[in-house]
Amino acid sequence: GLSLGQVCHIVQLAISQKKLLGYLNGTVVPYARSQSMVKEKHAEFQQPCIGTGRTKGSMVTWEMLRECLQKILSDASSGGQSIPLSNLKRLFRSKFHAELSETSLGYAKLSELLQDSRVSDLCDVKLQGHGYVMVPAKPKAKRNLISLADSLCMGDVVSYVPNPEAAPSTCSNLLQKRASFVQPLRMDEILSEEEPSPKAAALQVSVGA
């Protein structure tokens, strides 16, 4: 048979990953009857999953959520404390007289709601002990970009990509500049069978290069 630890592990997998079991009023039940299933259905249609007797204020919207989280995190940062997720809804009721419902914002779990891109820059969710807590998000480190041109002392060099239509004129200007370095030769120097003149030797060296 299986040990107690193995049975507990199987039950945990059935609850957390396989969605075969769930919780309802503190007991383990088939997932179709669980509170998690009810919350997923409400999140799908963005409906609050709160009893009418518990509703004491307006429902929290995305804009309201961001503003309230900033105030809560500011107070927590001054005291150097983390905020248990189990206390977050109570804080919204006591401080802002508003009801925080993750299902009305499209999420079945509060921890997943706080990881949405609209508020994830404000807070991080971490596992601490036997529960999750919310802490202020750490500022992302800025990356320093290294320019190869700066390292090669090419700051004054302007990169230029010529227009294909202007290519003939560009080549013509380049040839004109090179022509200024070539000295003209006389025909008798070219046809002479004797030792070439210094000008012809310079031309041969230039052509060979």
Side-chain angles (χ1 to χ4, degrees), residues 15 20-35:
I15 295 174
L20 299 175
L21 301 174
Y23 291 104
L24 180 63
N25 299 326
T27 60
V28 178
V29 297
Y31 187 78
R33 296 171 47 197
S34 66
Q35 183 68 19

Side-chain angles (χ1 to χ4, degrees), residues 14 17 32 37 45 48 73 83 102 114 124 127 133 152 158 183 202:
Q17 297 184 15
M37 181 66 176
F45 297 100
L73 291 168
I83 303 167
E102 63 272 26
L114 296 178
D124 292 327
L127 180 62
V133 297
L152 296 177
V158 179
Q183 298 181 3

Side-chain angles (χ1 to χ4, degrees), residues 114-167:
L114 296 178
Q115 296 177 46
D116 187 276
S117 58
R118 283 166 281 195
V119 294
S120 60
D121 61 312
L122 300 176
C123 60
D124 292 327
V125 178
K126 296 182 178 181
L127 180 62
Q128 189 176 87
H130 297 286
Y132 286 95
V133 297
M134 180 180 68
V135 296
K138 295 181 180 179
K140 296 182 179 180
K142 295 182 180 180
R143 286 195 274 176
N144 296 325
L145 300 178
I146 301 176
S147 173
L148 181 60
D150 295 340
S151 62
L152 296 177
C153 301
M154 298 177 64
D156 298 333
V157 178
V158 179
S159 60
Y160 171 71
V161 179
N163 187 349
E165 297 179 356

Side-chain angles (χ1 to χ4, degrees), residues 56-96:
K56 296 182 180 180
S58 59
M59 303 301 299
V60 175
T61 62
W62 280 109
E63 293 77 12
M64 191 179 196
L65 175 63
R66 186 173 180 86
E67 293 178 3
C68 295
L69 285 178
Q70 287 177 329
K71 294 179 181 179
I72 293 174
L73 291 168
S74 177
D75 295 341
S77 298
S78 60
Q81 298 177 351
S82 58
I83 303 167
L85 293 193
S86 57
N87 293 342
L88 189 58
K89 292 185 179 183
R90 181 184 58 80
L91 288 174
F92 270 79
R93 296 191 197 103
S94 60
K95 288 191 173 185
F96 311 109

